[in-house]
Amino acid sequence: MPLLVMKFGGTSVADLDRIANAAEKVKREVERGYDVIVIVSAMSGKTNELVGWVEGTSPLYDAREYDAVVASGENVTAGLMALRLQEMGVSARSWQGWQVPIHTTSAHGSARFMSIPRDNIDAKFAEGFRVAVVAGFQGISAEGRITTLGRGGSDTTAVAFAAAFGAERCDIYTDVDGVYTTDPRISSKARKLDRIAFEEMLELASLGAKVLQTRSVELAMRYNVRLRVLSSFEDTDETSGTLVCGEDEIMESKVVSGVAYSRDEAKITLFTIEDRPGVAQAIFGPLSEAGVNVDMIVQNISEKDYDDDHPGAVTDMTFSCPINQVARAQKALEEAMAAGKIKYDDLIIDTDVAKVSVVGIGMRSQVGVAARSFAALAAEGINIKVISTSEIKISVLIDRKYMELAVQALHDAFELEKSA
Ligand code: ADP
Ligand code: ASP
Ligand code: MG
C-alpha cells in the first residue's frame, strides 16, 4: 500500500479535542487507501515545562537524565493518538523511539539519526494495522539510553521516517497554513509561498524560521523527500500548504524569497587582542570545546599589519552566539586569559541584539541585494552591528528593539507582499 507520513506539532495535539481533530485527518488518508506513519510532538508547552523541571532540579544537569525527562512528552501523545484512532475504528499502534528502534548518536540533547530499521513497524502493517503512531523527537543510543534530537526535532523524525519507509509524501501539520515570506506573527504583510526550494528553506530555518527544524530540511534535501507544510486547523487537500522541493520544480526564482529573524542572540567583543598568527585559534578553540555555537565573526583591520616590523600589532575581535551560551563563552574566555593563552584589555557582552536575514536563491545571479537591504535599514535609522553573507543570504546583527521594524523594512524593500 502507498504510505504517507503525517506529523502533528505541539499546538496540533494541544488537548484531547486537537488530538481528535488530527486523528480525523489521519483517518481520512487511511480511507483513501494509505498506510500512515503518524509522528507526534508533545502537547504544546509540555516540553518547556519538562525542561523547566529539569533545570529547576539540577542547573548543570546530566544530559542523559534531561533526555529521559523531556522525551516523555511525546510518549503521552503517541499513546493518546493511537487510542483516539482505535476509538474511530482505525487499527493503530503507538511506538516509542526505543521500540522501533530509532538508533541515534549518543549526543544527548542534540542526537542525530544513525538508522531506523523497518522490520518491527513493517511487521505490524503486515498484520493489518493501518497506522503506526511514533513519538517524535527521540531515539535510543548505542548505550541503550533515551536520546532527544534538539528542539523542534519531531520535524526531523518525520522526514527520517519518510525517507526510511519510502513515503509518498511527508506532511508537516502545524498552526500556520504553510511557509510564509516571513513569520506571519511578526508581519501582517507576510505571504504564504506555494513552493520553496530546499536550499532556501534550509537557510530560513537555520537563520531562525522555526516552522521546520533545520536538520529536517537537510534530510529532505538529501533523500529527496516530498515535504509539505500545512495547517491542522483548516480543511486541507492535496494542493494545500507549501511544498518544499527541488529548485527545478520552481517556475521563477525571486531574488529574495523570505526574511528570517533570530531574537536570542548575543554579541561578544574582545578589545585589544594581539594581531598575530594563532590568535583566532586561541580564542575560538576554547569556545568550541565549551560547546559554544559561534555564528558571525568579525576581526577589525589593525592599524599596522602584522609582520616582522610590527610584532606588537593589536586588533579587536567580535562574534555572536546564542544568548543562553553567553555564560559558558565568558567562562571559557576568562579561563583562557587566566591560563595565559589569550590576552585582551576588555571583554564586552551585548545581550540586546537580534539577527535579521534575507534569503533567496536569486541572489546568486543578481547584484545589489546587500545595498538594497542596507538602504532599507538605514531609512529606518537602524544601525548595523555585524554583517555576514553567503551565496544566498545576507544577515545583519542589530539592536533587538528594532528587530520587528527591520523585518518589516526588508519585507517591504523586496516587495515580498507580492509573493505567492
Ligand atoms: P509546531 O509546534 O507545529 O512544530 P512551531 O511553533 O515549531 O510549530 O512552528 C510553527 C511556527 O513557526 C509558526 O507559528 C510561526 O510563528 C513560525 N514561523 C517562523 N517563521 C515562519 C515562516 N517563514 N513561515 C511560517 N511560519 C513561521
Ligand atoms: N516537543 C519538542 C519541542 O518542543 C519537539 C517538537 O515538538 O518538535 O521541541
Ligand atoms: Mg516545531
Side-chain angles (χ1 to χ4, degrees), residues 250-331:
I250 299 202
M251 299 301 160
E252 60 172 314
S253 54
K254 290 175 288 294
V255 182
V256 167
S257 294
V259 182
Y261 65 87
S262 167
R263 190 187 304 271
D264 302 317
E265 301 283 320
K267 175 169 78 73
I268 300 183
T269 304
L270 298 169
F271 283 99
T272 329
I273 57 169
E274 295 166 276
D275 186 13
R276 59 164 174 82
V279 165
Q281 158 60 20
I283 293 171
F284 295 106
L287 288 170
S288 143
E289 275 160 38
V292 177
N293 295 310
V294 172
D295 178 20
M296 304 160 114
I297 299 177
V298 275
Q299 182 185 318
N300 279 358
I301 300 288
S302 303
E303 273 175 36
K304 296 187 171 84
D305 259 350
Y306 168 85
D307 57 34
D308 290 343
D309 296 336
H310 304 105
V314 290
T315 185
D316 308 321
M317 185 81 84
T318 297
F319 64 91
S320 69
C321 70
I323 202 165
N324 61 3
Q325 296 180 357
V326 164
R328 245 187 284 170
Q330 185 173 4
K331 184 161 173 272

Coordinates of all heavy atoms in Angstrom, one line a residue, residues 250-331:
I250 N 10.6 24.9 -9.3 CA 10.1 26.2 -9.0 C 10.2 27.0 -10.3 O 11.2 27.0 -11.0 CB 11.0 26.9 -7.9 CG1 10.8 26.0 -6.7 CG2 10.6 28.3 -7.7 CD1 11.0 26.6 -5.4
M251 N 9.1 27.6 -10.7 CA 9.0 28.3 -12.0 C 10.0 29.4 -12.1 O 10.9 29.4 -12.9 CB 7.6 28.8 -12.2 CG 6.5 27.8 -12.2 SD 6.8 26.6 -13.5 CE 5.8 25.2 -13.0
E252 N 9.8 30.4 -11.3 CA 10.8 31.5 -11.4 C 11.3 31.8 -10.0 O 10.5 31.8 -9.0 CB 10.1 32.8 -11.9 CG 9.0 33.3 -11.1 CD 8.4 34.6 -11.5 OE1 9.2 35.5 -11.8 OE2 7.2 34.8 -11.6
S253 N 12.6 31.9 -9.9 CA 13.1 32.2 -8.5 C 13.2 33.7 -8.3 O 13.7 34.4 -9.2 CB 14.5 31.5 -8.3 OG 15.3 31.9 -9.4
K254 N 12.7 34.1 -7.2 CA 12.8 35.5 -6.9 C 14.2 35.8 -6.3 O 14.9 34.9 -5.8 CB 11.7 35.8 -5.8 CG 10.3 35.8 -6.4 CD 9.2 36.0 -5.4 CE 9.1 34.8 -4.4 NZ 8.6 33.5 -4.9
V255 N 14.5 37.1 -6.3 CA 15.8 37.5 -5.8 C 15.8 37.2 -4.3 O 16.7 36.5 -3.8 CB 16.0 39.0 -6.0 CG1 17.4 39.4 -5.5 CG2 15.9 39.3 -7.4
V256 N 14.8 37.6 -3.6 CA 14.6 37.3 -2.2 C 13.3 36.6 -2.0 O 12.3 37.0 -2.5 CB 14.7 38.6 -1.3 CG1 14.2 38.4 0.1 CG2 16.1 39.2 -1.4
S257 N 13.4 35.4 -1.3 CA 12.1 34.7 -1.0 C 11.6 34.9 0.4 O 10.4 34.8 0.6 CB 12.4 33.2 -1.1 OG 12.7 32.9 -2.4
G258 N 12.5 35.2 1.3 CA 12.0 35.3 2.7 C 12.9 36.1 3.6 O 14.1 36.3 3.3
V259 N 12.3 36.5 4.7 CA 13.1 37.2 5.8 C 13.0 36.4 7.1 O 11.9 36.1 7.5 CB 12.5 38.6 6.0 CG1 13.4 39.4 7.0 CG2 12.5 39.4 4.7
A260 N 14.1 36.1 7.7 CA 14.1 35.3 8.9 C 14.7 36.1 10.0 O 15.4 37.1 9.8 CB 14.9 34.0 8.7
Y261 N 14.4 35.8 11.2 CA 14.9 36.5 12.4 C 15.3 35.6 13.5 O 14.7 34.5 13.6 CB 14.0 37.6 12.9 CG 12.7 37.0 13.5 CD1 12.7 36.6 14.8 CD2 11.6 36.8 12.7 CE1 11.6 36.0 15.4 CE2 10.5 36.2 13.3 CZ 10.4 35.8 14.6 OH 9.3 35.2 15.1
S262 N 16.2 36.0 14.3 CA 16.6 35.2 15.5 C 16.7 36.2 16.6 O 17.6 37.0 16.6 CB 17.8 34.4 15.2 OG 18.3 33.9 16.4
R263 N 15.8 36.0 17.6 CA 15.7 37.0 18.6 C 16.8 36.9 19.7 O 17.3 37.9 20.2 CB 14.4 36.9 19.3 CG 14.0 37.9 20.3 CD 12.7 37.5 21.0 NE 11.6 37.2 20.1 CZ 10.7 38.1 19.6 NH1 10.8 39.4 20.0 NH2 9.8 37.8 18.8
D264 N 17.2 35.6 20.0 CA 18.0 35.4 21.2 C 19.5 35.3 20.9 O 20.1 34.3 21.0 CB 17.5 34.1 21.9 CG 16.1 34.3 22.2 OD1 15.7 35.3 22.7 OD2 15.3 33.3 22.0
E265 N 20.0 36.4 20.4 CA 21.5 36.5 20.0 C 22.2 37.3 21.0 O 21.6 38.1 21.7 CB 21.6 37.1 18.6 CG 20.9 36.4 17.5 CD 21.6 35.1 17.1 OE1 22.8 35.1 17.0 OE2 20.9 34.1 16.9
A266 N 23.5 37.1 21.1 CA 24.4 38.0 21.9 C 25.6 38.3 21.1 O 26.0 37.5 20.2 CB 24.7 37.3 23.2
K267 N 26.3 39.4 21.5 CA 27.5 39.8 20.8 C 28.6 40.0 21.8 O 28.4 40.6 22.8 CB 27.2 41.1 20.0 CG 28.4 41.7 19.4 CD 28.0 42.9 18.4 CE 27.6 44.2 19.2 NZ 28.8 44.9 19.7
I268 N 29.7 39.4 21.5 CA 30.8 39.5 22.5 C 32.0 40.1 21.8 O 32.4 39.6 20.6 CB 31.2 38.1 23.1 CG1 30.0 37.5 23.8 CG2 32.4 38.2 24.0 CD1 30.2 36.2 24.5
T269 N 32.6 41.1 22.4 CA 33.8 41.7 21.7 C 35.0 41.6 22.7 O 34.9 41.9 23.9 CB 33.6 43.2 21.4 OG1 32.4 43.3 20.6 CG2 34.7 43.8 20.7
L270 N 36.1 41.2 22.1 CA 37.4 41.2 22.9 C 38.2 42.3 22.3 O 38.6 42.4 21.1 CB 38.2 39.9 22.6 CG 37.5 38.6 23.0 CD1 38.2 37.4 22.5 CD2 37.5 38.5 24.5
F271 N 38.5 43.3 23.2 CA 39.2 44.5 22.8 C 40.7 44.3 23.0 O 41.1 43.7 24.0 CB 38.7 45.7 23.6 CG 37.4 46.2 23.1 CD1 36.2 45.9 23.7 CD2 37.3 47.0 21.9 CE1 35.0 46.4 23.3 CE2 36.1 47.5 21.5 CZ 34.9 47.1 22.1
T272 N 41.4 44.8 22.1 CA 42.9 44.9 22.1 C 43.5 43.5 22.3 O 44.1 43.2 23.3 CB 43.4 45.8 23.2 OG1 42.5 46.9 23.4 CG2 44.8 46.4 22.8
I273 N 43.3 42.7 21.3 CA 44.0 41.4 21.3 C 45.2 41.5 20.4 O 45.3 42.4 19.5 CB 43.0 40.2 20.8 CG1 42.5 40.6 19.4 CG2 41.9 40.0 21.7 CD1 41.8 39.4 18.7
E274 N 46.1 40.6 20.6 CA 47.3 40.6 19.7 C 46.9 40.3 18.3 O 46.0 39.5 18.1 CB 48.3 39.6 20.2 CG 48.9 39.8 21.6 CD 49.6 38.5 22.0 OE1 48.9 37.6 22.6 OE2 50.8 38.4 21.8
D275 N 47.6 40.9 17.4 CA 47.3 40.6 16.0 C 48.5 39.8 15.4 O 49.5 40.3 14.9 CB 47.1 41.9 15.2 CG 46.7 41.6 13.7 OD1 46.3 40.5 13.4 OD2 46.8 42.5 12.9
R276 N 48.4 38.5 15.6 CA 49.5 37.6 15.1 C 48.9 36.2 14.8 O 47.8 35.9 15.2 CB 50.6 37.5 16.2 CG 50.0 36.9 17.5 CD 51.1 36.4 18.4 NE 50.5 36.0 19.7 CZ 49.9 34.8 19.9 NH1 49.7 33.9 19.0 NH2 49.3 34.5 21.1
P277 N 49.6 35.4 14.0 CA 49.1 34.1 13.6 C 48.7 33.3 14.9 O 49.5 33.3 15.9 CB 50.2 33.4 12.9 CG 51.1 34.6 12.4 CD 50.9 35.6 13.4
G278 N 47.6 32.6 14.9 CA 47.3 31.7 16.0 C 46.3 32.3 17.0 O 45.8 31.6 17.9
V279 N 46.1 33.6 16.9 CA 45.2 34.3 17.9 C 43.7 33.8 17.8 O 43.1 33.5 18.8 CB 45.3 35.8 17.9 CG1 44.2 36.4 18.6 CG2 46.6 36.2 18.5
A280 N 43.3 33.7 16.5 CA 41.9 33.3 16.3 C 41.7 31.9 16.9 O 40.7 31.6 17.6 CB 41.5 33.3 14.8
Q281 N 42.6 31.0 16.6 CA 42.6 29.7 17.1 C 42.5 29.7 18.7 O 41.8 28.9 19.3 CB 43.8 28.9 16.6 CG 44.2 27.6 17.4 CD 43.0 26.6 17.5 OE1 42.1 26.6 16.7 NE2 43.1 25.8 18.5
A282 N 43.4 30.5 19.3 CA 43.4 30.6 20.7 C 42.1 31.1 21.4 O 41.8 30.7 22.5 CB 44.6 31.5 21.2
I283 N 41.4 31.9 20.6 CA 40.1 32.3 21.1 C 39.0 31.3 20.8 O 38.2 30.9 21.7 CB 39.7 33.7 20.4 CG1 40.7 34.8 20.9 CG2 38.3 34.1 20.7 CD1 40.6 36.1 20.1
F284 N 38.9 30.9 19.6 CA 37.7 30.1 19.2 C 37.9 28.6 19.5 O 36.9 27.8 19.6 CB 37.4 30.3 17.7 CG 36.9 31.7 17.4 CD1 37.7 32.6 16.8 CD2 35.7 32.1 17.9 CE1 37.3 33.9 16.6 CE2 35.3 33.4 17.7 CZ 36.1 34.3 17.1
G285 N 39.1 28.1 19.7 CA 39.4 26.8 20.2 C 38.7 26.5 21.5 O 37.8 25.6 21.6
P286 N 39.0 27.3 22.6 CA 38.3 27.1 23.9 C 36.8 27.3 23.8 O 36.0 26.6 24.5 CB 38.9 28.2 24.8 CG 40.2 28.5 24.1 CD 40.0 28.3 22.7
L287 N 36.3 28.2 22.9 CA 34.9 28.4 22.8 C 34.2 27.1 22.2 O 33.2 26.7 22.7 CB 34.6 29.6 21.9 CG 34.9 30.9 22.5 CD1 34.8 32.0 21.4 CD2 33.9 31.3 23.6
S288 N 34.9 26.5 21.2 CA 34.3 25.3 20.6 C 34.3 24.2 21.7 O 33.4 23.4 21.8 CB 35.1 25.0 19.4 OG 35.3 23.7 19.2
E289 N 35.4 24.1 22.4 CA 35.5 23.0 23.4 C 34.4 23.2 24.5 O 33.9 22.2 25.0 CB 36.9 23.0 24.1 CG 37.9 22.2 23.4 CD 39.3 22.6 23.7 OE1 39.5 22.8 24.9 OE2 40.2 22.6 22.8
A290 N 34.0 24.4 24.7 CA 33.0 24.7 25.8 C 31.6 24.5 25.2 O 30.6 24.7 25.8 CB 33.1 26.1 26.3
G291 N 31.5 24.1 23.9 CA 30.2 23.9 23.3 C 29.5 25.1 22.9 O 28.2 25.2 22.8
V292 N 30.2 26.2 22.6 CA 29.6 27.5 22.2 C 29.4 27.5 20.7 O 30.4 27.3 20.0 CB 30.4 28.7 22.7 CG1 29.8 30.0 22.2 CG2 30.5 28.7 24.2
N293 N 28.2 27.8 20.2 CA 28.0 27.8 18.8 C 28.2 29.2 18.3 O 27.3 30.1 18.3 CB 26.5 27.4 18.4 CG 26.2 26.0 18.8 OD1 27.0 25.1 18.4 ND2 25.2 25.8 19.5
V294 N 29.4 29.5 17.9 CA 29.8 30.8 17.4 C 29.2 31.0 16.0 O 29.2 30.1 15.2 CB 31.3 31.0 17.3 CG1 31.7 32.3 16.6 CG2 31.9 31.0 18.8
D295 N 28.6 32.1 15.8 CA 27.9 32.3 14.5 C 28.7 33.4 13.6 O 29.6 33.0 12.9 CB 26.5 32.8 14.7 CG 25.7 33.0 13.5 OD1 26.1 32.5 12.4 OD2 24.6 33.7 13.6
M296 N 28.4 34.6 13.8 CA 29.1 35.6 13.0 C 30.4 36.0 13.6 O 30.5 36.0 14.9 CB 28.2 36.9 12.9 CG 26.8 36.6 12.3 SD 25.7 37.9 12.7 CE 25.3 38.6 11.2
I297 N 31.4 36.3 12.8 CA 32.7 36.7 13.4 C 33.2 37.9 12.6 O 33.2 37.9 11.4 CB 33.8 35.6 13.3 CG1 33.3 34.3 14.0 CG2 35.1 36.1 13.8 CD1 34.3 33.2 13.9
V298 N 33.7 38.9 13.3 CA 34.4 40.0 12.6 C 35.7 40.3 13.4 O 35.7 40.4 14.6 CB 33.7 41.3 12.4 CG1 32.8 41.3 11.2 CG2 32.9 41.7 13.7
Q299 N 36.8 40.5 12.6 CA 38.0 41.0 13.2 C 38.3 42.3 12.6 O 38.3 42.4 11.3 CB 39.1 40.0 12.9 CG 40.4 40.4 13.6 CD 41.6 39.5 13.2 OE1 41.4 38.3 13.2 NE2 42.7 40.1 13.0
N300 N 38.6 43.3 13.4 CA 39.0 44.6 12.8 C 40.3 44.5 12.1 O 41.1 43.7 12.3 CB 39.2 45.6 14.0 CG 37.9 46.1 14.5 OD1 36.8 45.8 13.9 ND2 37.9 47.0 15.5
I301 N 40.4 45.5 11.1 CA 41.7 45.7 10.5 C 42.6 46.4 11.5 O 42.2 47.3 12.2 CB 41.5 46.6 9.3 CG1 40.6 46.0 8.3 CG2 42.9 46.9 8.6 CD1 41.1 44.8 7.5
S302 N 43.8 45.9 11.7 CA 44.7 46.5 12.6 C 45.3 47.8 12.0 O 45.3 47.9 10.7 CB 45.9 45.6 12.9 OG 45.5 44.4 13.4
E303 N 45.7 48.7 12.8 CA 46.3 49.9 12.3 C 47.6 49.6 11.5 O 47.9 50.1 10.5 CB 46.6 50.9 13.4 CG 45.5 51.8 13.8 CD 45.7 52.7 15.0 OE1 46.9 53.1 15.1 OE2 44.8 52.9 15.7
K304 N 48.3 48.6 12.1 CA 49.5 48.2 11.4 C 49.4 46.7 11.2 O 49.0 46.0 12.0 CB 50.7 48.4 12.3 CG 51.0 49.8 12.7 CD 52.4 49.9 13.5 CE 52.9 51.3 13.7 NZ 52.2 51.9 14.8
D305 N 49.7 46.3 9.9 CA 49.6 44.9 9.6 C 50.7 44.1 10.4 O 51.8 44.6 10.6 CB 49.9 44.7 8.1 CG 48.6 44.5 7.4 OD1 47.5 44.3 8.1 OD2 48.6 44.4 6.2
Y306 N 50.3 42.9 10.8 CA 51.3 42.0 11.4 C 52.4 41.7 10.4 O 52.2 41.3 9.3 CB 50.7 40.7 11.9 CG 51.7 39.7 12.3 CD1 52.2 39.7 13.6 CD2 52.2 38.8 11.4 CE1 53.2 38.8 14.0 CE2 53.1 37.8 11.7 CZ 53.6 37.9 13.0 OH 54.6 36.9 13.4
D307 N 53.6 42.0 10.8 CA 54.8 41.5 10.0 C 56.0 41.6 10.9 O 55.9 42.0 12.1 CB 55.0 42.2 8.7 CG 55.1 43.7 8.9 OD1 55.7 44.1 9.9 OD2 54.7 44.4 8.0
D308 N 57.2 41.3 10.4 CA 58.4 41.4 11.3 C 58.6 42.7 11.9 O 59.2 42.9 13.0 CB 59.6 40.9 10.5 CG 59.5 39.4 10.2 OD1 58.6 38.7 10.9 OD2 60.2 38.9 9.3
D309 N 58.2 43.8 11.1 CA 58.4 45.2 11.6 C 57.4 45.6 12.7 O 57.7 46.5 13.4 CB 58.3 46.2 10.5 CG 59.4 45.9 9.4 OD1 60.4 45.3 9.8 OD2 59.2 46.3 8.3
H310 N 56.3 44.9 12.7 CA 55.3 45.3 13.7 C 54.8 44.1 14.5 O 53.7 43.7 14.5 CB 54.0 45.8 13.0 CG 54.3 47.0 12.1 ND1 54.4 46.8 10.7 CD2 54.6 48.3 12.3 CE1 54.7 48.0 10.1 NE2 54.8 48.9 11.1
P311 N 55.7 43.6 15.3 CA 55.3 42.4 16.1 C 54.3 42.7 17.2 O 53.6 41.8 17.6 CB 56.6 42.0 16.7 CG 57.5 43.2 16.7 CD 57.0 44.0 15.6
G312 N 54.1 44.0 17.5 CA 53.2 44.3 18.6 C 51.8 44.7 18.1 O 51.1 45.4 18.8
A313 N 51.4 44.4 16.8 CA 50.2 44.9 16.3 C 49.0 44.4 17.1 O 49.0 43.2 17.6 CB 50.0 44.5 14.9
V314 N 47.9 45.2 17.3 CA 46.8 44.7 18.0 C 45.5 45.0 17.2 O 45.5 45.8 16.3 CB 46.6 45.5 19.4 CG1 47.7 45.1 20.4 CG2 46.6 47.0 19.2
T315 N 44.5 44.2 17.6 CA 43.2 44.4 16.9 C 42.0 44.1 17.9 O 42.3 43.8 19.0 CB 43.1 43.5 15.6 OG1 41.9 43.7 14.9 CG2 43.2 42.0 16.0
D316 N 40.8 44.1 17.4 CA 39.6 43.7 18.2 C 38.9 42.5 17.5 O 38.9 42.5 16.3 CB 38.6 44.8 18.4 CG 39.3 46.1 18.9 OD1 40.2 46.0 19.7 OD2 38.9 47.2 18.4
M317 N 38.3 41.7 18.3 CA 37.5 40.5 17.7 C 36.1 40.5 18.2 O 35.9 40.6 19.4 CB 38.2 39.2 18.0 CG 37.7 38.0 17.4 SD 38.2 37.8 15.7 CE 39.8 36.9 16.0
T318 N 35.1 40.4 17.3 CA 33.7 40.4 17.8 C 33.1 39.1 17.2 O 33.4 38.7 16.1 CB 32.9 41.6 17.2 OG1 33.5 42.8 17.8 CG2 31.5 41.5 17.6
F319 N 32.3 38.5 18.0 CA 31.5 37.3 17.5 C 30.1 37.3 18.1 O 29.8 37.9 19.1 CB 32.2 36.0 17.7 CG 32.4 35.6 19.2 CD1 31.4 34.9 19.8 CD2 33.5 36.0 19.9 CE1 31.6 34.5 21.1 CE2 33.7 35.7 21.2 CZ 32.7 34.9 21.9
S320 N 29.2 36.5 17.5 CA 27.9 36.4 18.1 C 27.7 34.9 18.4 O 28.3 34.0 17.8 CB 26.8 36.8 17.1 OG 26.7 36.0 16.0
C321 N 26.8 34.7 19.4 CA 26.4 33.3 19.8 C 25.0 33.4 20.4 O 24.5 34.5 20.7 CB 27.4 32.7 20.7 SG 27.4 33.5 22.3
P322 N 24.4 32.2 20.6 CA 23.0 32.2 21.2 C 23.1 32.8 22.6 O 24.1 32.5 23.3 CB 22.6 30.8 21.3 CG 23.4 30.1 20.2 CD 24.7 30.9 20.2
I323 N 22.1 33.6 23.0 CA 22.2 34.3 24.3 C 22.4 33.3 25.5 O 23.0 33.6 26.5 CB 20.9 35.2 24.5 CG1 21.2 36.3 25.5 CG2 19.7 34.4 24.8 CD1 20.1 37.4 25.4
N324 N 21.8 32.1 25.4 CA 21.9 31.2 26.5 C 23.3 30.5 26.6 O 23.5 29.7 27.5 CB 20.8 30.2 26.5 CG 20.8 29.3 25.3 OD1 21.7 29.4 24.4 ND2 19.8 28.4 25.2
Q325 N 24.2 30.9 25.7 CA 25.5 30.3 25.8 C 26.6 31.4 26.2 O 27.8 31.1 26.3 CB 25.9 29.7 24.5 CG 25.1 28.5 24.1 CD 25.4 27.9 22.7 OE1 26.3 28.4 22.0 NE2 24.7 26.9 22.4
V326 N 26.1 32.6 26.6 CA 27.0 33.7 26.9 C 27.8 33.3 28.2 O 29.0 33.6 28.2 CB 26.2 35.0 27.1 CG1 27.0 36.0 27.9 CG2 25.7 35.5 25.8
A327 N 27.2 32.8 29.2 CA 27.9 32.5 30.4 C 29.0 31.5 30.2 O 30.1 31.6 30.6 CB 26.9 31.9 31.5
R328 N 28.7 30.5 29.4 CA 29.7 29.5 29.0 C 30.9 30.1 28.2 O 32.0 29.8 28.4 CB 29.1 28.4 28.2 CG 29.1 27.0 28.9 CD 28.6 25.9 28.0 NE 27.1 26.0 27.8 CZ 26.5 25.3 26.9 NH1 27.2 24.5 26.1 NH2 25.2 25.3 26.8
A329 N 30.5 31.0 27.3 CA 31.5 31.6 26.5 C 32.4 32.5 27.3 O 33.6 32.5 27.2 CB 30.8 32.5 25.4
Q330 N 31.8 33.3 28.2 CA 32.6 34.2 29.1 C 33.5 33.4 29.9 O 34.7 33.7 30.1 CB 31.6 35.0 30.0 CG 32.3 36.0 30.8 CD 31.3 36.9 31.5 OE1 30.1 36.7 31.5 NE2 31.9 37.9 32.2
K331 N 33.0 32.3 30.5 CA 33.9 31.4 31.4 C 35.1 30.9 30.6 O 36.2 30.9 31.0 CB 33.0 30.3 31.9 CG 33.7 29.4 32.9 CD 32.7 28.6 33.7 CE 33.3 27.5 34.6 NZ 33.5 26.2 33.9

